[in-house]
């Protein structure tokens, strides 16, 4: 292999992500947010497939679904987001919740806070949280696709959704789909 | 010498098959690779049933035919690499090295954004890399 590993500035990844969301959600499909979300998720799906190939290269094979999910939480997350998932919960029936308290791609997002005067504090805070999760939700389509692609390539068909609790923490819900035998 | 290299996807769909022998009966190699897929399935499900945690990627000798030996390797994403050779004795280290380099070349080819996952690999760079890997197979390491 010639030379060392090639590197890219992380600000490029941030900019690309922002532009991806801006293009699909505002320019191409401004009236159809669901369609924009599905398109972005599909892009993430293909990238996830390819990344899973690359990151599982030297490893021995996984024995079951839980091993694959743990791989996603530790090695895959560390490669893509430079940290591991903070919390993994499961109900042992095929639903997994991945919690990341400081999701790297959300750290640069902030929402203008509504002015909070004394009496309306509670509702203003709640409204702020709702606006934050709505604004940030668009930026989570791509990571959802990433996870879905990676898991599908490892043999775990699934559906992935995400929600923002408080910026920059977020949760990913993975529902493992039963294959019809 | 190696006469055929094949890459098969996780739905047992052929992604790449290249023969390096001169007599050009590629169809025979298609058939051999297809038969070896059954052996791979058996090995993979056997290791799971026997309780032995043999989660190795390199599967070793799949089956010997009259002129050829067939070796297999399966990746974590259920992509199978099959190699047919006429060598009667190949070192284990050489084989593992060969499959490792083949896997690396495959990962690079699969990362191509114009490659549709599940369709055949049409990259000329991949074909060239495979050719190079095949040519340098079995060359003894300098003492």
């Amino acid at each position: 292999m010639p030379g060392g590993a090639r590197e890219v500035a992380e600000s490029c990844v941030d900019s690309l992500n922002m532009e991806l969301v801006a293009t699909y959600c505002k320019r191409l499909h401004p009236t159809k947010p669901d369609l924009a979300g599905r398109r972005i998720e599909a892009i993430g799906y293909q990238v996830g497939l390819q990344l899973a190939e690359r990151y599982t290269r030297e490893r021995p094979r996984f024995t079951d679904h839980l091993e694959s999910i743990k791989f996603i939480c530790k090695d895959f997350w560390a490669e893509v987001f430079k940290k591991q998932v903070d919390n993994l919960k499961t109900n042992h029936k095929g639903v997994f919740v991945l919690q990341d308290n400081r999701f790297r791609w959300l750290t640069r997002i902030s929402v203008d806070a509504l002015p909070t005067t004394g009496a309306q504090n509670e509702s203003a805070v709640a409204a702020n949280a709702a606006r934050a999760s709505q604004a940030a939700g668009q930026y989570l389509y791509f990571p959802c696709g990433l996870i879905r692609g990676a898991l599908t390539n490892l043999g775990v068909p699934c559906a992935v959704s995400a929600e923002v609790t408080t910026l920059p923490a977020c949760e990913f819900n993975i529902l493992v789909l039963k294959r019809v035998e | 010498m190696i006469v055929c290299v094949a890459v098969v996807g996780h739905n047992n769909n052929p992604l790449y098959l290249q023969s390096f022998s001169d007599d050009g009966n590629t169809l025979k190699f298609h058939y051999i690779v297809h038969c070896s897929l059954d052996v791979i399935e058996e090995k993979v499900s056997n290791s799971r049933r026997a309780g032995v945690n043999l989660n190795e990627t390199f599967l070793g000798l799949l089956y010997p035919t009259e002129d050829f030996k067939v070796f297999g390797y399966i990746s974590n994403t259920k992509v199978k690499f099959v190699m047919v050779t006429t060598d009667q004795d190949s070192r284990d280290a050489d084989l593992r090295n060969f499959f490792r380099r083949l896997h690396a070349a495959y990962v690079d080819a699969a990362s191509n954004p114009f490659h549709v996952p599940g369709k055949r690999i049409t990259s000329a760079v991949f074909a060239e890399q495979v050719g190079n890997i095949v040519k340098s197979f079995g060359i003894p390491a300098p003492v």
Side-chain angles (χ1 to χ4, degrees):
Chain A
M1 282 293 237
R6 298 200 321 229
E7 297 187 338
V8 165
E10 193 180 350
S11 52
C12 294
V13 177
D14 284 332
S15 306
L16 182 61
N17 210 16
M18 287 192 280
E19 189 53 36
L20 178 68
V21 173
T23 303
Y24 273 92
C25 293
K26 300 206 183 69
R27 196 156 65 83
L28 292 181
H29 305 289
T31 53
K32 293 185 240 161
D34 288 337
L35 181 58
R38 278 206 299 276
R39 285 271 169 92
I40 299 181
E41 209 255 357
I43 298 178
Y45 178 78
Q46 176 148 357
V47 177
L49 283 181
Q50 295 164 337
L51 285 183
E53 283 280 2
R54 195 173 279 275
Y55 295 145
T56 57
R57 203 156 68 88
E58 296 291 323
R59 306 174 54 91
R61 287 175 287 143
F62 300 126
T63 40
D64 63 357
H65 289 342
L66 186 57
E67 292 264 320
S68 307
I69 302 255
K70 287 207 289 211
F71 162 76
I72 297 279
C73 291
K74 295 200 203 143
D75 301 308
F76 188 82
W77 220 259
E79 292 274 359
V80 182
F81 305 116
K82 296 207 174 42
K83 63 187 281 285
Q84 297 188 349
V85 162
D86 294 309
N87 201 354
L88 168 67
K89 295 189 279 232
T90 175
N91 69 354
H92 293 292
K93 293 211 192 72
V95 178
F96 297 87
V97 178
L98 273 59
Q99 206 169 339
D100 191 334
N101 291 333
R102 202 183 136 78
F103 191 58
R104 206 170 176 90
W105 291 352
L106 290 181
T107 51
R108 312 247 178 262
I109 296 182
S110 72
V111 180
D112 294 331
L114 293 169
T116 60
T117 63
Q120 308 155 316
N121 227 349
E122 289 261 348
S123 59
V125 165
N128 272 341
R131 284 170 69 233
S133 65
Q134 199 195 20
Q138 295 174 329
Y139 292 90
L140 292 177
Y141 290 132
F142 188 72
C144 283
L146 218 57
I147 300 174
R148 189 168 71 93
L151 279 176
T152 306
N153 213 0
L154 295 175
V156 183
C158 57
V160 183
S161 62
E163 51 192 35
V164 179
T165 44
T166 50
L167 284 173
C170 65
E171 281 187 357
F172 291 92
N173 291 306
I174 302 179
L175 172 65
V176 178
L177 304 169
K178 288 265 174 296
R179 216 171 314 183
V180 178
E181 296 291 337
Chain B
M1 66 153 220
I2 298 184
V3 292
C4 174
V5 172
V7 181
V8 181
H10 70 99
N11 283 333
N12 285 346
N13 47 329
L15 294 174
Y16 183 79
L17 190 137
Q18 175 77 41
S19 76
F20 298 96
S21 74
D22 302 329
D23 45 2
N25 46 352
T26 322
L27 197 57
K28 183 169 75 167
F29 293 127
H30 270 96
Y31 177 68
I32 293 182
V33 171
H34 194 240
C35 293
S36 63
L37 293 180
D38 286 332
V39 182
I40 292 183
E41 293 258 357
E42 201 186 308
K43 279 210 170 195
V44 167
S45 60
N46 257 352
S47 72
R48 205 170 295 165
R49 237 180 303 136
V52 175
N53 236 1
L54 191 63
N55 42 10
E56 269 270 359
T57 45
F58 175 59
L59 299 170
L61 179 65
L62 298 178
Y63 69 102
T65 65
E66 41 190 72
D67 312 306
F68 308 119
K69 286 180 151 189
V70 182
F71 293 93
Y73 175 103
I74 183 168
S75 83
N76 234 319
T77 54
K78 306 281 181 292
V79 172
K80 306 160 188 92
F81 301 92
V82 178
M83 187 258 278
V84 183
T85 176
T86 51
D87 276 341
Q88 285 315 312
D89 51 350
S90 329
R91 284 201 304 260
D92 197 56
D94 280 345
L95 292 167
R96 286 172 192 269
N97 202 21
F98 172 84
F99 278 117
R100 202 171 44 83
R101 294 168 68 187
L102 192 57
H103 195 174
Y106 168 72
V107 164
D108 286 338
S111 306
N112 184 350
F114 296 109
H115 169 249
V116 178
K119 292 277 161 52
R120 286 171 171 265
I121 300 179
T122 52
S123 153
V125 171
F126 178 68
E128 193 187 317
Q129 282 177 331
V130 171
N132 286 340
I133 298 174
V134 166
K135 267 192 222 120
S136 59
F137 174 74
I139 295 185
V143 177

